[in-house]
Amino acid sequence: MDGLKKHLNQSVQFKLSFTLSLAILVVAIVAGVVSFMSAFDEAHELQDDVLRQVAQLMDRQHLSPTPPIADARLKDGDEESRVIVQRLGDSSPSPVGVDAGGLLPLPTTLADGLYTLEVSGEAFRVLVKTTAAGERIVVAQESGFRNEIARGSALRTVMPFLVLVPVLLLIVADLVRKMFRPIATLSREIDQRAEQELHPVDERHLPVEVRPFVVAINRLLARVAQAMDGQRRFVADAAHELRSPLTALSLQAERLAEARMSGQARERLMTLRQGIERGRSLLDQLLTLARAQSAAEPPKSPVSVQGIFRRVLEDLIPLAEAKRIDIGVEGLQDAQVWVSELDMIAIVKNLVDNAIRYTPEGGRVDLSVGMAEGRAVLRIEDNGPGIPFAERDRVFDPFYRTPGSERIGSGLGLSIVQAIASRIGAEIRLDFASEARQTGLIVTVQLSVIAPSQAT
Ligand SMILES: Nc1ncnc2c1ncn2[C@@H]1O[C@H](COP(=O)(O)OP(=O)(O)OP(=O)(O)O)[C@@H](O)[C@H]1O
Ligand SMILES: [Mg+2]
């Protein structure tokens, strides 16, 4: 009972279905009872009319219920359904009910009129009439039979209710469900959105009652989009503004390095230059993240993944060579993906940069692309330390670096990859390259090869 109450309070759909069904049931029961009772009374009235008409016929035709007539029990008819016509006083009261001649033992003192009398345990409807000839006649019928007929015809009037009520309940349930379908579709649509998809919800096909709510959500979405945009712009502007003085500093440090100085001063200058370089790469990553998080125009043409691999390797091969890392692309298969070139470069560059950076000297990094279930599958595999299970969610957080990682980095690379992936609908998976030894990392990126215009 408590569960029902809770459900009623929480679900408008359930409340509507429940109360409408209850109302229909109550109305149907009341209407059924009333129509049953009135049909029952009507049938009795009709039967009384029949008794009256028989009496009137006897009177008008000057017929007298002589013993042979009274004796002629309608043998071919049903015993119960017969109408008994007799002269009042023709039979003496008998404890066994209808006497041998089929006559009712009725008291002669009965005045003219209709009665329901109990004759030796059996109820009869009796009409007493004094004819024009002064004869007192009785027309009677068994009450049990009359009730049976009346009940039958009353039940027939209730029949339509019995059939229509379940149909009506089904129609109500279906109608209410259909009424709430737009709301279910709307929540599904909002649920499936990525964080960046803050465009307004289409309210045109929604019921008028829900529209103000959706309009309010749209206003909130617009405010959130504006706030997020402002925040992103601030990060991008700040990073951009900081770049110029850092570039100037870097140039000054470069020129300083040309000057003559002591070994100790040169050592300190080296640390200074490394710091400046770290600052520059942090700013670059911040700018890329700000761009990755903002909504971008859908690409006009697909890009080749092999082409992206080549461009990224051109940039990163010096880094790999410095660490004597054997880096290369496996296989010749290519895939054309509908992602902007800048986004693809940012994804692949950050993943390959990580693979080179976290793999020890003399290690191996392999890139490959293939197709699976109609999606392009990019794999970047290294034989470095890999990422433990416990760290796999956290490494995607901005500025998070796994404990003990002594390499220089800002902790933004995987956040950039994830921001772009969620915007373009790509899936990222991290696995050990060797499950047995729990080392090495395989990053798998799965993305659609279908143009956005074809996907919808
Ligand atoms: N291929 C890999 N092998 C082992 N650990 C990795 C690998 N790639 C990423 N990691 C771990 O995940 C952490 C987060 O990586 P992420 O790319 O986000 O940041 P970063 O490399 O430290 O900095 P950035 O890429 O911004 O310069 C890294 O600190 C590193 O510990
Ligand atoms: Mg990185």
Side-chain angles (χ1 to χ4, degrees), residues 153-267:
S153 71
L155 270 178
R156 273 193 292 282
T157 64
V158 180
M159 230 25 147
F161 289 104
L162 294 181
V163 177
L164 284 179
V165 164
V167 174
L168 215 58
L169 291 182
L170 284 179
I171 291 174
V172 163
D174 187 52
L175 218 66
V176 170
R177 203 165 42 84
K178 278 193 183 127
M179 270 165 54
F180 282 87
R181 199 176 289 160
I183 298 177
T185 317
L186 177 71
S187 51
R188 243 195 329 272
E189 195 247 304
I190 296 180
D191 256 356
Q192 282 167 355
R193 285 185 177 198
E195 298 104 75
Q196 297 89 1
E197 291 180 72
L198 294 171
H199 57 267
V201 175
D202 185 5
E203 85 227 40
R204 276 172 305 168
H205 308 296
L206 288 172
V208 182
E209 291 79 5
V210 188
R211 243 178 260 175
F213 175 64
V214 175
V215 168
I217 287 188
N218 279 344
R219 276 201 293 262
L220 177 69
L221 281 176
R223 284 201 298 274
V224 171
Q226 216 173 3
M228 281 178 71
D229 212 40
Q231 203 182 353
R232 248 180 260 126
R233 225 169 319 127
F234 174 78
V235 173
D237 289 348
H240 194 75
E241 289 302 312
L242 280 167
R243 245 158 72 143
S244 317
L246 261 184
T247 312
L249 260 180
S250 172
L251 280 174
Q252 290 297 334
E254 223 169 278
R255 281 176 55 191
L256 190 62
E258 286 161 15
R260 216 181 293 167
M261 62 179 80
S262 67
Q264 196 185 21
R266 193 161 292 282
E267 209 175 292

Side-chain angles (χ1 to χ4, degrees), residues 285 350-351 353-354 357-358 409-414:
Q285 290 290 71
N350 273 292
L351 295 178
D353 177 76
N354 281 353
R357 216 179 312 170
Y358 301 108
S410 54
L412 290 177
L414 291 178

Side-chain angles (χ1 to χ4, degrees), residues 306-416:
Q306 287 284 1
I308 299 290
F309 282 170
R310 268 196 300 278
R311 288 188 52 177
V312 169
L313 286 181
E314 271 168 27
D315 283 351
L316 296 180
I317 275 203
L319 195 64
E321 277 174 353
K323 286 182 80 178
R324 288 182 294 105
I325 284 175
D326 173 12
I327 189 166
V329 180
E330 269 186 348
L332 294 171
Q333 194 180 352
D334 194 11
Q336 303 287 327
V337 291
W338 285 82
V339 180
S340 85
E341 203 171 23
L342 275 181
D343 284 341
M344 265 328 271
I345 289 180
I347 290 180
V348 175
K349 190 170 180 178
N350 273 292
L351 295 178
V352 176
D353 177 76
N354 281 353
I356 298 172
R357 216 179 312 170
Y358 301 108
T359 300
E361 291 214 6
R364 205 186 144 85
V365 174
D366 290 317
L367 283 66
S368 68
V369 57
M371 292 290 297
E373 292 165 10
R375 283 163 77 85
V377 183
L378 280 67
R379 270 164 62 106
I380 289 109
E381 179 176 350
D382 65 59
N383 63 351
I387 300 178
F389 286 111
E391 298 287 326
R392 285 192 188 167
D393 280 335
R394 296 214 59 193
V395 287
F396 289 101
D397 292 344
F399 302 108
Y400 183 79
R401 313 198 65 231
T402 50
S405 169
E406 72 266 17
R407 308 276 158 197
I408 297 165
S410 54
L412 290 177
L414 291 178
S415 312
I416 293 170

